[in-house]
Amino acid sequence: MRLSLRQWVASVLVLTQLVHGALCWGKDDHYTVCKIAEGYFEEETIAAVKKLLPESSQGGGDLASFCSWPDEIKHLSQWKWTSAMHYVNTPEYRCNYQYCRDCHDSHMQKDWCVTGAIFNYTRQLMSASVNSESLVHYNLTEALMFLSHYMGDVHQPLHTGFREDQGGNTIIVHWYNSKTNLHNVWDDLIIESALKQYYNSSLPVMIQALQAKLMNGWSNDVPSWKSCQFNQTACPNQYASESIDLACKYAYRNATPGTTIGDEYFLSRLPIVEKRLAQGGIRLAAIINRIFSAKTKLAGA
Ligand SMILES: *[C@@H]1O[C@H](CO)[C@@H](O)[C@H](O)[C@H]1NC(C)=O
Ligand SMILES: *[C@@H]1O[C@H](CO)[C@@H](O)[C@H](O)[C@H]1NC(C)=O
Ligand SMILES: *[C@@H]1O[C@H](CO)[C@@H](O)[C@H](O)[C@H]1NC(C)=O
Ligand SMILES: *[C@@H]1O[C@H](CO)[C@@H](O)[C@H](O)[C@H]1NC(C)=O
């Protein structure tokens, strides 16, 4: 891998500070976000994505099957430096997020957080799309997989959580009868229970239900979900601000250390989780569509 000295040093530093628990949204969640996005790809996007994806008998041009890749590799020594890119934390239990204050890793390296990474990979894909001769020396396959993955992460409320509890990772609770941490409840357990109780333990059934809601209940909201202030290609700061707001209003509320979380919490939080999955998918599609239509627009202008 092409690691600069700075990255190498950072990766060694990250190695030495082991993180509590998982810091990633579950596999099902990333698959769902990307699967929903695929349904909204424009024609140029479908072609461009297919060209970029790794050839694999299994994947076959399906973005969703590559969306957990950043979680699979982040434990490998040459990729350790990416592990700070999956989240952003706010200091002093603040319920608001600010890029300049919050987007850094634990060694205060600027831009090393989930929103910084989304800006980074959007910029890389955009510059390659607009300028095909391209001074671009980045691996755009990786850029696409990182962008798609981090768009899921930034929509998980506790991936913009408090620094003091590592986004809920150090808050030990009981989820019904089993001991776990709050971060894991939001990464995996809410969705797992929903799959069992409402979707016949089938991820495709859940995805279909979300797609149906996007055509009905949420259809009026979709245009506003897609849009970014100032016509930016991506607006991750907005997504992170929403996440910390939801974290304060729903994730942390009634979930102090030692709490037993059951039906009441599950039933009131599930709609939030489902909406965030849908928003993540819609916005990922919007961003990738903007990236791959940029060239056509310039040529047509
Ligand atoms: C941007 O992406 C490149 C390629 O993966 C990486 O080397 C660099 O560290 C990233 N920078 C940030 C701030 O994410
Ligand atoms: C780009 O990244 C992918 C995934 O890491 C890798 O399989 C592929 O070989 C890389 N391509 C180049 C040209 O380095
Ligand atoms: C639920 O899943 C089982 C096993 O996968 C299947 O046989 C059954 O038809 C499914 N039920 C519904 C209502 O989809
Ligand atoms: C955003 O783009 C639209 C359509 O391309 C344009 O009409 C509008 O003026 C732009 N707004 C800003 C703030 O640039």
Side-chain angles (χ1 to χ4, degrees), residues 14-146:
V14 169
L15 248 175
T16 59
Q17 43 115 213
L18 286 179
V19 203
H20 299 253
L23 281 167
C24 46
W25 212 0
K27 222 177 151 77
D28 286 351
D29 319 32
H30 286 287
Y31 186 88
T32 301
V33 166
C34 289
K35 205 70 203 168
I36 287 172
E38 284 176 18
Y40 291 80
F41 282 177
E42 286 159 9
E43 244 169 80
E44 297 114 308
T45 306
I46 296 172
V49 165
K50 203 163 189 161
K51 247 165 88 184
L52 283 180
L53 288 178
E55 301 212 356
S56 136
S57 48
Q58 205 189 13
D62 181 29
L63 179 64
S65 21
F66 295 100
C67 286
S68 288
W69 176 79
D71 278 339
E72 286 155 18
I73 55 137
K74 73 181 179 190
H75 304 289
L76 304 176
S77 57
Q78 74 267 35
W79 291 108
K80 278 267 153 69
W81 61 274
T82 62
S83 55
M85 309 289 192
H86 292 254
Y87 61 93
V88 59
N89 289 330
T90 70
E92 296 155 4
Y93 301 101
R94 303 263 178 120
C95 288
N96 62 62
Y97 151 92
Q98 292 171 12
Y99 187 87
C100 294
R101 184 191 68 196
D102 303 336
C103 190
H104 52 73
D105 69 1
S106 54
H107 308 283
M108 303 307 283
Q109 276 206 90
K110 235 170 91 36
D111 304 325
W112 282 47
C113 81
V114 67
T115 45
I118 290 170
F119 280 123
N120 188 27
Y121 292 112
T122 300
R123 210 180 298 122
Q124 288 175 21
L125 289 163
M126 195 70 172
S127 68
S129 174
V130 171
N131 173 15
S132 50
E133 298 142 54
S134 121
L135 312 160
V136 180
H137 49 276
Y138 293 112
N139 183 326
L140 299 177
T141 300
E142 286 174 1
L144 178 65
M145 294 192 290
F146 280 130

Side-chain angles (χ1 to χ4, degrees), residues 28 192-206:
D28 286 351
E192 252 174 45
S193 294
L195 282 171
K196 278 193 210 120
Q197 289 194 32
Y198 301 115
Y199 302 116
N200 198 21
S201 294
S202 159
L203 193 56
V205 171
M206 186 185 90

Side-chain angles (χ1 to χ4, degrees), residues 176-187:
Y176 296 91
N177 291 323
S178 54
K179 198 171 168 184
T180 183
N181 69 66
L182 189 61
H183 190 91
N184 195 39
V185 168
W186 284 77
D187 264 357

